[in-house]
Amino acid sequence: MKSAVPYVRLNPTRQNRWRLAPHAQAAGYEAWPSLEEIFPTRIQGINPNRGITGSVIDVDKKLLADRIAAYIGADSFAYATSACPALAMPRANYTPEIVWKGLRKLGFDESRLKPYLLFPFDQRWIYYEDRLNLLNRPRETLAANVDCECFLIAVPEPRKVSEARPLFSRTLLDLHVHDRGSVAIPAVIRLDALAGARLANLSPEIWAALREAWGAMGGLETSDAHLCASKLIHICLAIMNSPAYRLDHASALGADWARVPIPRHSALVRRLGQLGGLVAALMDCSTDSASGVREILGRDKLASIAAIRRSDGHPISADDLRVTISYFGAAPGRFVQTDDVSGELWINNNVYLANVPITAWRSEFGGYQTIRKWLGYRHVTRLQGRPMTLEEQRSLRNMILRLTALSALEPQMDELYSAAVEDALIVGNEMPSIQAAE
């Protein structure tokens, strides 16, 4: 009997890792270098694996410091358990009492409280201890390079459409910023922690091509190379967050590392670098984005977005900031569309954020609906019944503004992505095989 399904001829290539799997390609895509080929050093995000609430992670630096100090300074393990039950729970390759005894010898160290990106646009603090197995996977290489300019956060073979969108950070970051598992790509790498030598995180072949095309000079240790690596990360941010780019290469992006058209000519390099710099500033939750948001959205529009209100018109009190509407998992949450462009985002039955752009509400990064993910982890059941702090409420509004501004930049991203395709630098096909750092 003749099959109703026609056979498809597969053409595996070196660029698609000789995969016997169908995926459509837009013209030119396989000629562009992949993130793997551009950036030799790639480091997996930290995997604490000790829980989120009441563990080594917190939204409040002081609360985290007090909790860890009490845990380490307890007179006995029984007292330590009451100070921080989450760290007293046995796990694979983790014997809490043995680790606690080691921590007691080392003592509490405030300098180990580090900014930490947990999920997209969800900046917190972590007690980063890499001398003992307090953390499941501390990623010492990541910590050693945390001051080396910036990190592009990406994932190979994303399982979800929004995981193909890279993020940006200047801080330590979690393995699950992307649901599948995030990889940090530094612009500059520190080869020797003692000597302090730093090299641009570029393959020799890419650097040779950029020197010729962009008029740069010197070796990977030079400021020219460092600047080019940072600029290239910004260019990747601008292009890979373009909706047109993700639509054109949807099937290919799910098969391997993303490939990026690197522009040759200085005017386009400058425009893409500036746009990517704006994208980076909006994504970097460890720094203030007010000026960038104001530049993109305008002062008048800015004032009306995501204003917090009570339904009865009364002033907002700190106790009103309890998130009692569930946004976690399959819970529906409560976003009420009020017109074609905006809606009300409710956190409980009395309090909501007015004029929240639909584009921000629907925005997805890392395999998550961003606002839903953020609110899901602020539900009262996950905060031991406490309301959000005023700082968290400000962070929620700030996230909505950042997402709105990023959405407003998408037409520019599409325009410059299209220009980069026409101006793409073609690097030789014999790219080296490159291994991740961890």
Side-chain angles (χ1 to χ4, degrees), residues 25 28 46 77 80 85 100 113 142 153 190 193 195 202 211 216 251 254 257 265 271 313 317 356 383:
Q25 296 282 359
I46 294 167
F77 184 64
W100 172 75
L113 297 166
L142 179 62
I153 310 172
R190 190 182 305 282
L202 298 171
R211 274 200 313 247
S251 59
W257 286 99
H265 293 102
R271 291 179 66 197
S317 69
V356 173
L383 299 182

Side-chain angles (χ1 to χ4, degrees), residues 32 183 245 269 271 316 338 340 349 389 430:
W32 306 334
V183 174
Y245 170 85
V269 170
R271 291 179 66 197
I316 302 291
T338 53
D340 291 341
N349 291 330
T389 63
E430 296 303 315

Side-chain angles (χ1 to χ4, degrees), residues 115-130:
Y116 188 65
L117 185 66
L118 179 62
F119 298 122
F121 299 89
D122 195 343
Q123 192 77 40
R124 305 197 186 192
W125 294 87
I126 188 170
Y127 189 76
Y128 182 79
E129 175 57 75
D130 57 354

Side-chain angles (χ1 to χ4, degrees), residues 287-418:
T287 58
D288 184 10
S289 66
S291 61
V293 169
R294 191 162 50 245
E295 176 186 345
I296 296 163
L297 300 180
R299 189 181 299 273
D300 293 341
K301 184 177 181 181
L302 189 64
S304 64
I305 294 176
I308 192 163
R309 297 174 182 169
R310 276 185 60 103
S311 56
D312 57 11
H314 291 169
I316 302 291
S317 69
D319 201 50
D320 287 326
L321 299 180
R322 295 180 191 277
V323 181
T324 59
I325 294 174
S326 180
Y327 286 87
F328 199 80
R334 188 178 173 189
F335 181 82
V336 181
Q337 190 169 333
T338 53
D339 56 37
D340 291 341
V341 296
S342 63
E344 297 168 349
L345 179 67
W346 290 77
I347 64 171
N348 57 51
N349 291 330
N350 299 311
V351 178
Y352 64 97
L353 279 73
N355 194 26
V356 173
I358 295 172
T359 55
W361 164 244
R362 292 177 178 169
S363 181
E364 294 187 13
F365 282 91
Y368 315 112
Q369 188 176 346
T370 313
I371 294 174
R372 180 187 291 278
K373 183 77 171 178
W374 194 98
L375 283 171
Y377 276 95
R378 267 71 180 187
H379 193 268
V380 287
T381 57
R382 290 179 170 267
L383 299 182
Q384 287 85 47
R386 73 164 175 85
M388 288 192 295
T389 63
L390 291 175
E391 182 59 35
E392 285 176 297
Q393 184 258 313
R394 284 191 289 267
S395 295
L396 174 58
R397 181 172 187 266
N398 188 255
M399 174 177 56
I400 292 168
L401 293 174
R402 290 174 188 262
L403 294 173
T404 304
L406 282 168
S407 178
L409 290 177
E410 287 181 347
Q412 290 183 56
M413 295 180 200
D414 285 350
E415 176 193 348
L416 294 186
Y417 152 65
S418 179

Side-chain angles (χ1 to χ4, degrees), residues 2-10 22:
K2 188 175 180 180
S3 172
V5 181
Y7 289 103
V8 176
R9 182 177 294 279
L10 302 177

Side-chain angles (χ1 to χ4, degrees), residues 68-348:
I68 299 298
Y71 182 75
I72 293 174
D75 292 333
S76 67
F77 184 64
Y79 283 121
T81 298
S82 62
C84 189
L87 291 184
M89 183 182 301
R91 299 174 187 269
N93 301 317
Y94 177 64
T95 307
E97 187 167 1
I98 292 175
V99 174
W100 172 75
K101 288 178 179 178
L103 289 170
R104 283 266 295 168
K105 291 179 181 178
L106 293 173
F108 173 73
D109 183 352
E110 190 171 0
S111 70
R112 292 187 173 273
L113 297 166
K114 304 288 187 183
Y116 188 65
L117 185 66
L118 179 62
F119 298 122
F121 299 89
D122 195 343
Q123 192 77 40
R124 305 197 186 192
W125 294 87
I126 188 170
Y127 189 76
Y128 182 79
E129 175 57 75
D130 57 354
R131 295 166 294 181
L132 303 167
N133 69 330
L134 177 66
L135 308 176
N136 192 37
R137 294 287 186 274
R139 317 293 188 202
E140 294 89 344
T141 307
L142 179 62
N145 287 284
V146 77
D147 64 340
C148 292
E149 308 302 336
C150 54
F151 294 115
L152 180 75
I153 310 172
V155 59
E157 302 182 27
R159 292 174 296 196
K160 301 174 184 176
V161 174
S162 68
E163 285 187 298
R165 303 186 70 171
L167 286 149
F168 179 88
S169 179
R170 297 185 188 276
T171 72
L172 295 175
L173 56 107
D174 194 88
L175 177 64
H176 293 295
V177 175
H178 291 84
D179 187 33
R180 181 171 177 81
S182 293
V183 174
I185 300 174
V188 178
I189 53 171
R190 190 182 305 282
L191 291 183
D192 186 334
L194 295 177
R198 305 201 310 172
L199 296 181
N201 184 22
L202 298 171
S203 72
E205 290 76 12
I206 289 294
W207 177 228
L210 292 182
R211 274 200 313 247
E212 182 177 349
W214 292 4
M217 298 179 63
L220 291 171
E221 77 284 355
T222 63
S223 59
D224 256 17
H226 294 188
L227 181 62
C228 285
S230 295
K231 189 178 297 181
L232 199 47
I233 278 182
H234 288 162
I235 287 170
C236 290
L237 278 172
I239 289 176
M240 293 174 64
N241 277 288
S242 155
Y245 170 85
R246 300 197 308 276
L247 181 63
D248 286 349
H249 311 296
S251 59
L253 288 171
D256 205 344
W257 286 99
R259 294 182 172 275
V260 182
I262 302 173
R264 293 174 298 165
H265 293 102
S266 59
L268 183 54
V269 170
R270 184 171 58 254
R271 291 179 66 197
L272 267 167
Q274 289 171 346
L275 179 60
L278 266 178
V279 173
L282 292 170
M283 290 182 171
D284 181 12
C285 294
S286 67
T287 58
D288 184 10
S289 66
S291 61
V293 169
R294 191 162 50 245
E295 176 186 345
I296 296 163
L297 300 180
R299 189 181 299 273
D300 293 341
K301 184 177 181 181
L302 189 64
S304 64
I305 294 176
I308 192 163
R309 297 174 182 169
R310 276 185 60 103
S311 56
D312 57 11
H314 291 169
I316 302 291
S317 69
D319 201 50
D320 287 326
L321 299 180
R322 295 180 191 277
V323 181
T324 59
I325 294 174
S326 180
Y327 286 87
F328 199 80
R334 188 178 173 189
F335 181 82
V336 181
Q337 190 169 333
T338 53
D339 56 37
D340 291 341
V341 296
S342 63
E344 297 168 349
L345 179 67
W346 290 77
I347 64 171
N348 57 51

